[in-house]
Amino acid sequence: MTTRQIPLLLEGRFQESQSRERLAIRNPATQEVLAEVPFATTEEVNRAVAAAKEAFKSWREMPAPARARVMLSFQHLLKAHHDELAEILAKETGKTFADAKGDVWRGIEVVEHACNISTLLMGETVENVAGGIDTYSIIQPLGVCVGITPFNFPAMIPLWMFPLAIACGNTFVLKPSEQDPMTPTRIAELFLEAGAPANVLQIVHGGRDQVDQLLTHPDVHAISFVGSAPVAEHIYRTGTHNLKRVQCFAGAKNHMVVMPDAQPQQVINNLIGASCGAAGQRCMAISVAVLVGESKNLIPHLAASFKELRPGVWNDSGAAYGPVISQKAKARILELIEAGKKEGAKCEFDGSHINVPGYETGNWLGPVLFSGVKADMRIYQEEIFGPVLLCMEVDTLEEAIALMNANPFGNGCSIFTASGAAARKFQHEIEVGQVGINVPIPVPLPFFSFTGWKKSFLGDLHAYGKQAVRFYTETKTVTARWFDEDIAHSAPNMTIQLK
């Protein structure tokens, strides 16, 4: 049987790459080769940027309502193909079907936000800033924009990027993760079906070489990236050094503070889903529970609940989550678990070495729960990105806040409490960009922005919401004066035209 070859979207059509370098895309639950993805040639990357640059000339002149209508059609098609997209996504990432549908839906919400682009692009006007002088601002697109997306959300994160960028009047080159490119490819097919003009969206595949070529290309104006902290630092430095506008969403170590007055079963239920959902492969996953005072008594109950969790294949409705993305990812997580044990953390439950009957070759990891974790331990200092929850005990809310503020990451956090005063103190003093109050994973809806802080984000303007529109556009300020005597000169001409 011939292995499916993932195409490039280049110069308005899907076409096979001429590259000989290819990577197998494997189902994480079975190791079955689903397809092969090419690493685009230097020429193909250049052609993609050139085609996007040429398309920008006409696309930027398309009225904003017309661009919005393309997005309206696109979101309709995404909804119609929701389950189909989720199945493709589940098979190439290992996510459960419910989790995969959530991935697609969160992307659809951003496309819906892009449908409001006419309002989002409105400028500002002040009449008579001086005698007879008016000043107003105009929002204009940048040009060719690039998105570099990770494996863990192959629908949501591309849809964070290219719909808003294109709705703003830009053109876009997408470099999706080479580990799961089938989902963004199908999404791009639907985008063209929605009536998007040829060349406003290009897709190239590859790794670091292809990314570096885009980062340094003279015709690229803006770069958006989501991924690990070390890669984010490289992309930010390289992109800004080459005078690009860059936003990088990087690593995380997200904490959930549990106050003694929190409802115990609510805490347990939310911690389980927030730490182990999607096999912990989420930048907003809760990886640390900070137990204040008597809430440390929840640890045995958490351990008992962890024992009930089991991973499974995408269409197993009883599975809590699926496999991790690759054998390499699994090996790294297992290494960190062993490091935690050696450093003195107490492993309350270790389900890491698990197999799913009939799928023994899958990248399975059962849930793992640690207590007695200290801030100098490697398992605390590094992002594990697996179904592992660390418990740390403190005596007061002040200690919890100090612990979290000392952490170099600031992506998301939450507090579970019945006290409004405690919640307000927490939200005011915590140095983290996204805060949940009795909400474990506080990812904002698209009319707000995704606002990680500290080492979790490099750049000035965040994803989706109003900040994304500012990121993908430039503001032009016009100051205008018209002289009264011009009216007399123009009036005769106006009369002639009317005749």
Side-chain angles (χ1 to χ4, degrees), residues 10 22 125 211-212 216 226 248 255 286 299-300 311 317 321 340 347 446 452 456 461 471 473 483:
L10 186 60
R22 294 174 186 267
T125 301
V211 168
D212 283 348
T216 58
V226 178
C248 288
H255 302 66
I286 294 295
I299 292 174
S317 59
Y321 58 88
C347 194
S456 291
L461 296 166
F471 178 77
T473 59
F483 300 101

Side-chain angles (χ1 to χ4, degrees), residues 183-198:
T183 302
T185 297
R186 181 64 182 127
I187 286 172
E189 290 174 350
L190 295 175
F191 187 59
L192 295 182
E193 187 180 335

Side-chain angles (χ1 to χ4, degrees), residues 267-488:
V267 169
I268 291 169
N269 293 345
N270 281 279
L271 266 177
I272 288 171
S275 61
C276 295
Q281 299 175 122
R282 296 186 287 204
C283 67
M284 286 292 287
I286 294 295
S287 56
V288 183
V290 184
L291 306 175
V292 179
E294 293 303 310
S295 63
K296 65 184 178 182
N297 295 330
L298 289 175
I299 292 174
H301 302 285
L302 275 169
S305 296
F306 267 51
K307 292 176 184 178
E308 299 298 317
L309 296 180
R310 63 172 182 84
V313 294
W314 73 274
N315 55 357
D316 178 356
S317 59
Y321 58 88
V324 296
I325 188 66
S326 67
Q327 293 176 336
K328 182 179 178 181
K330 177 180 176 179
R332 180 183 175 276
I333 296 165
L334 287 172
E335 186 211 347
L336 284 166
I337 292 168
E338 291 306 308
K341 294 175 182 177
K342 291 176 182 177
E343 289 180 311
K346 183 181 178 183
C347 194
E348 300 281 351
F349 178 71
D350 184 357
S352 58
H353 296 283
I354 191 173
N355 269 316
V356 174
Y359 299 91
E360 286 77 8
T361 59
N363 308 322
W364 306 110
L365 278 169
V368 177
L369 178 68
F370 280 103
S371 66
V373 175
K374 304 301 180 185
D376 60 352
M377 292 180 178
R378 186 180 167 201
I379 53 170
Y380 179 74
Q381 293 178 343
E382 294 186 27
E383 186 175 22
I384 299 174
F385 227 59
V388 181
L389 178 64
L390 315 180
C391 293
M392 305 177 78
E393 299 93 47
V394 298
D395 293 327
T396 65
L397 176 58
E398 288 77 10
E399 287 181 62
I401 291 171
L403 169 73
M404 296 166 64
N405 285 349
N407 192 280
F409 294 109
N411 209 34
C413 66
S414 62
I415 183 170
F416 272 63
T417 182
S419 167
R424 189 181 186 283
K425 176 182 177 66
F426 180 77
Q427 76 174 39
H428 179 68
E429 296 183 12
I430 203 69
E431 296 169 5
V432 176
Q434 293 161 127
V435 179
I437 298 173
N438 297 318
V439 174
I441 301 181
V443 177
L445 288 170
F447 32 86
F448 289 92
S449 293
F450 188 93
T451 52
W453 284 14
K454 299 192 288 189
K455 285 187 70 175
S456 291
F457 179 73
L458 302 174
D460 300 307
L461 296 166
H462 294 82
Y464 59 78
K466 293 179 181 178
Q467 291 196 38
V469 173
R470 290 178 60 200
F471 178 77
Y472 289 121
T473 59
E474 195 60 274
T475 301
K476 181 182 291 181
T477 304
V478 179
T479 301
R481 177 171 62 184
W482 300 98
F483 300 101
D484 289 344
E485 53 266 34
D486 290 341
I487 297 174

